Amino acid sequence: EPSAPAEHFDAVIAAEQRIEPRDWMPDAYRATLVRQIAQHAHSEIIGMQPEGNWLSRAPSLRRKAILLAKAQDEAGHGLYLYAAAETLGVDRAELTEKLISGRQKYSSIFNYPTLTFADVGVIGWLVDGAAICNQVPLCRCSYGPYARAMVRVCKEESFHQRQGYELLMTLMRGTEAQRRMVQDAVDRWWWPSLMMFGPPDGDSPNTAQSMAWRIKRHTNDELRQRFVDMTVPQAEHLGVTLPDPALRWNEQRDSWDFGEPDWSELQQVIKGQGPCNAQRIDRRRAAHEDGAWVREAATAYADKSKGQSSE
Ligand code: 3HC
C-alpha cells in the first residue's frame, strides 16, 4: 500500500536516501534548498572577483595559469549549483536578479579586499579550506542534485586549497618582507574565515530544520571547530601565528579552544556594510548587463533552429 507522499518523504529522509526532483517534497523543504543552493551558487560567482583582481598582476606565468584555472573552476561550481537550483523549479535569470537586487545573499567572505598577492594564497588555504569543511558533509545532503554537485566541487576544491598552501610555503621560504606579507594576510583573513560557517548555533534560525531534513549534516559551530582543529597544525607547519590570543589546546576535549568571532561584524557584512559589498554587486550587475547581447543572440539562435526543425 503506497504510503501518503509526506510519509514517503519522511521515510526516505529517515533512511538516509535521496529526494529527487520529481519526488513530492514539503514546500518549505523546496524553499530552503532554493535559498541555500542559490546563495551557494552566488558565492561561487562573486568569489571570482577578489582573486580576479590579481589575474593580470600574478608574479609569474605559472601563478597566473593556476589562478586562471581556479577562477574558471569557481565559475563552473556556480553553474553546477544554478543547475541544481533549477531542478527545484526556479530559473537562474530570476536568481541573478535577486542577487543583484540584494534579495538573495552570498558568502560574507568575499566582501573583503585582496590587498597583496599573499591574499591569493591565504584565500586558497583558509577560504577554500573552510569551504571543504562545509562542502564535504553536503555530499551526503538528502537532496540528490545538490549532493551530486558537491561531489564534483569537492574534488576541485582540494586543488584550490593545495595551490594556496604551496604559494604561501614558497613565500615563507623567501625574504623577511615576503614572510611579513603572509602574516599580514593571515591576520586579515583568519576571523572572516571563521565567520563563513555562519552565526553561532544559538543564533542560527535555519540549522535545526536543515539538520532534521538532513540538508545540513553538522551545525555551524561543529564545522567551525573542525576547521580550527584542521588548520592550527597547518599554521604551525607554515610558520605563521593565528591572530587569536585565546587559542589553546584542550586536552579534555581533544580539540582547540578559540576566541569568539565578532558577530556584529558578520551581521554588518551580511547586511551589505562590508568593505567591498557595493563594488562586488556593481561589478556583478555590470557583467550581467555587458553579457545581455550574448544571451539575446543565444536565445535568437535557439528559436531560429527550433523554427527550422519544426518546418
Ligand atoms: N555569509 C552570508 N550570509 C550568511 C553567512 C555568511 N557567512 N552565514 C549565514 N548567513 C545567512 C544565512 O544565509 C541566513 O540567511 P537566509 O535565511 O536569508 O539565507 C542567515 O544568515 C542565518 O544563518 P543560518 O545559519 O540560519 O543559515 P544556514 O543554515 O543556511 O547556514 C551556511 C549558513 C552555513 C552558509 C549554509 O547556508 C551553507 O552551508 N551553505 C552552503 C555552503 C555555502 O554557501 N558556502 C559559502 C562559501 S563560498 C564557497 O564555499 C565557495 C568556495 O569556492 C570558496
Side-chain angles (χ1 to χ4, degrees):
E1 164 67 16
S3 57
E7 279 155 36
H8 176 70
F9 172 84
D10 292 343
V12 167
I13 299 291
E16 290 261 353
Q17 284 162 5
R18 291 274 159 78
I19 297 296
E20 297 298 337
R22 275 190 292 276
D23 292 341
W24 179 89
M25 62 185 84
D27 291 346
Y29 178 84
R30 183 186 303 276
T32 205
L33 279 168
V34 168
R35 171 189 66 83
Q36 176 163 333
I37 300 172
Q39 294 182 153
H40 197 161
H42 297 331
S43 302
E44 301 282 1
I45 300 301
I46 298 287
M48 296 166 73
Q49 289 189 34
E51 292 171 317
N53 182 30
W54 284 94
L55 269 182
S56 58
R57 296 183 286 160
S60 71
L61 198 53
R62 176 171 176 267
R63 292 290 173 205
K64 185 197 285 262
I66 291 171
L67 192 51
L68 210 51
K70 181 174 189 294
Q72 194 177 315
D73 281 352
E74 309 294 9
H77 296 173
L79 294 184
Y80 306 153
L81 288 163
Y82 284 127
E86 287 180 333
T87 65
L88 290 159
V90 292
D91 173 80
R92 70 186 68 190
E94 169 200 340
L95 299 178
T96 301
E97 207 30 61
K98 284 189 174 166
L99 167 67
I100 290 174
S101 60
R103 284 176 291 142
Q104 276 187 338
K105 302 177 166 76
Y106 59 94
S107 185
S108 52
I109 192 69
F110 297 124
N111 289 307
Y112 293 85
T114 44
L115 302 179
T116 73
F117 193 69
D119 287 42
V120 173
V122 167
I123 286 175
W125 173 40
L126 295 182
V127 174
D128 288 89
I132 288 170
C133 283
N134 167 284
Q135 290 171 156
V136 166
L138 286 170
C139 297
R140 290 184 294 115
C141 159
S142 58
Y143 187 58
Y146 193 26
R148 290 188 290 271
M150 279 299 105
V151 171
R152 183 146 172 211
V153 164
C154 287
K155 287 194 175 68
E156 292 169 343
E157 215 69 274
S158 49
F159 144 65
H160 297 174
Q161 192 197 26
R162 248 197 339 274
Q163 64 79 33
Y165 196 73
E166 186 265 338
L167 189 164
L168 297 176
M169 201 47 106
T170 306
L171 284 170
M172 290 305 281
R173 291 193 186 113
T175 63
E176 182 44 37
Q178 286 174 314
R179 281 191 288 277
R180 270 201 312 277
M181 196 166 76
V182 173
Q183 185 60 61
D184 161 61
V186 171
D187 291 346
R188 284 183 285 108
W189 288 92
W190 173 248
W191 292 107
S193 298
L194 297 191
M195 295 177 205
M196 271 174 79
F197 292 92
D201 294 348
D203 231 359
S204 167
N206 295 296
T207 288
Q209 186 59 73
S210 283
M211 296 280 285
W213 278 331
R214 293 206 162 107
I215 296 169
K216 238 181 200 178
R217 306 313 308 259
H218 302 280
T219 70
N220 298 357
D221 289 331
E222 284 167 0
L223 290 181
R224 199 178 348 263
Q225 179 67 67
R226 186 178 288 186
F227 171 68
V228 172
D229 288 349
M230 176 185 94
T231 308
V232 170
Q234 293 171 352
E236 284 166 1
H237 182 68
L238 194 57
V240 294
T241 55
L242 296 171
D244 178 359
L247 203 58
R248 75 173 47 75
W249 180 250
N250 182 317
E251 209 55 52
Q252 279 69 35
R253 289 193 319 116
D254 197 28
S255 228
W256 286 89
D257 290 340
F258 57 98
E260 195 70 11
D262 175 352
W263 301 118
S264 64
E265 178 180 327
L266 175 59
Q267 289 317 318
Q268 286 299 331
V269 176
I270 291 177
K271 272 209 298 281
Q273 268 92 46
C276 301
N277 294 59
Q279 172 193 330
R280 300 294 185 229
I281 293 298
D282 289 348
R283 187 151 318 164
R284 183 70 194 87
R285 177 186 296 107
H288 190 61
E289 286 161 1
D290 294 351
W293 68 273
V294 177
R295 293 190 297 277
E296 282 150 26
T299 310
Y301 180 77
D303 293 348
K304 204 171 77 178
S305 39
K306 235 189 291 177
Q308 274 157 1
S309 59
S310 64
E311 273 157 21

